[in-house]
Amino acid sequence: MRRFSVVCLCLVAILLSAPAPRAQTLEDKVQEFELDNGMKFLVVERHEAPVVFCAVAFKVGAIYESNGITGLSHLLEHMLFKGTETVGTKDYEKELPYLEREDELAVAARDLMIEIAPWRLSYFDEHVTELTASMSDEDRDAIGTDRALELELTIEMLEEAGPTEEMLSIGGLLEEDETDYFELYLTLKRTEMELYDTMEEHRELVISNELWETYMNNGSRMLNAGTSNDGTFYFSYLPSNRIELFFLMESDRLENAVFREFYTERDVVREERRMSENDPDDVLYESFMATAYSASPYGVPVLGWMSDLTMMTRADLQSYFDTYYGPNNALGIFVGDVDIDEVEKLAKKYFGRLDSGPPLPELTTTEPKQQGERRVVVKQDAKPSLYIGYHVVNPPHPDGYAIDLLSSVLAGGRTSRFYKSIYEEQGLTRTAPGVWVGPGSRLDPMFIIEADPKDPHTLEEVELAILAEVERLKTEPVEMRELERTWNQEEAQLVRSLGSNIGLAFTVGMYAGIRGDWRAILTDMERSREVTPEDIMRVAEEYFTEENRTVGWLVETASEDGEGAGDEVDFGELMMWARTLPEEEQGMLMMKFQSLDEAGREEFARELWERMKAEQGGEEPEGEEPMGEETTDEE
């Protein structure tokens, strides 16, 4: 499955969507202007309700990272909620010595890890894991969430136990060239302990969640952000009479961001990374993408690699932010009960004073042509799953329009080929195979097919059935009625997306940020209508070849108790079900969803999945109250 955070954002969008009003001409509605510093703005006036969706999108995503700092864009997303020189602090001047000392200790710890070397660290860390597992319940209760105390007790246990017999027998592990690496490891742990002690003292000067609470206290329905391969964005839904608050807060974040609590938040993101490494779907997806791409940054997960997250410092983040997050690389988006003149006035007042940054570097690395089929097999205690992918192109490349249509022909609803043949007639999969083109649009993507075999059918059976349908595209022309149905689906989907403030903002903003002009929405629809059955056959013949194919299998292994994995959440099906709920309930679900962290959102999605299955089966889920009666707590 695709990254859970992306699904979260999609679910938010669905839960916020309202029934579409009568269609309006985009050319008449979308207004734009640009400041002297290069920051661009899109404004759509919709005066149906006194609310406005506000966003700042940056044309900077994970594809601008390099080895050593992977995951930095996503970590920056977290850090920009930590406040500024005036927000989130009791006294910024008093904070500075703590920030400097934390950085010194973090750099010292990083240097020690480099000197010890990763292979030795793995042995020492495993030893620590075994020692801490033997801690008494009394010690664990005393530690609680106190990381410094945990490290203090760990150091005492290491000093008392010393190296294991196995470690003593491994040449070069403990000592080499008169360097005592075990003592260096103890020094590392002491340095980390001092870092966490300093962070705890620093916390007395921090006002947690002040940015969040300021927005919520002024009527914000939501406050969130998202990071993808291609960009990052920050947004809020506000009463229209609070629009100046957004300009004030966001320009302050861009001009005076303070990355306090960096090392605490780095630990949070490392935990996200750890959860991803233990999620079978994520393991398959990341293994598949890393196999499919050898040069493109699309082969690196947005979360980054654990080793990079462990080593990066606040200075790395500050340098990245200063280099890429200038106003000239940003796009302001305002949709709702606003006036273009007021938006432009506020934009000049707050964002106009910011200096331009360096332009984004050109992304010149391209994926070389694949020379043969690639395969990767992941073994997990989970239901089997598979990916099949082909390197393709995106619009405005002429072939990109036929490729987009192909995704709908194969997997666009209940009349699609995969649904009717593989899922309905042959009964090979638990749900209909899905198709998507990704993981981004700024570089050449993959045409990805994903499917989950239904017991007792095998991965091989499902793969062969999918490939048979793909081969049909090369020999049997797609009927015009299929194309017409696909065109109608695309247009209906576009109309729905433009029917709410958030849907319109994301659609227009995405095209403006990725394609450089929101009007590509209209030209894409026109060019899609020009695709012929012959174009479909030609594109299928050119791109859907064995040499250009990557296949990933998730093979089920038996759990220790001999039972297989439980029922997995199908987020596509869950989002379709969410759209059927009453509008008021959708809003309440959205509010709860917004109040949760990443782990909480995943658990909430599981609850919704169980509720959906129970309702579809005519049963009530046990122990669950009606959603309409729930209340939520703000973070």
Side-chain angles (χ1 to χ4, degrees), residues 285-294 298-300 305 374:
Y285 174 74
E286 291 183 0
S287 300
F288 172 82
M289 298 304 289
T291 302
Y293 286 108
S294 59
Y298 279 165
V300 179
W305 302 119
R374 300 172 184 170

Side-chain angles (χ1 to χ4, degrees), residues 106 125 151 164 213 229 296 309 404 419 457 473 492 496 500 518 537 571:
D125 288 344
L151 284 164
T164 65
E213 291 175 0
N229 288 278
S296 171
L309 293 170
D404 282 346
Y419 188 98
H457 299 290
L473 296 168
R496 284 195 299 270
S500 66
W518 66 266
M537 292 181 68
F571 293 105

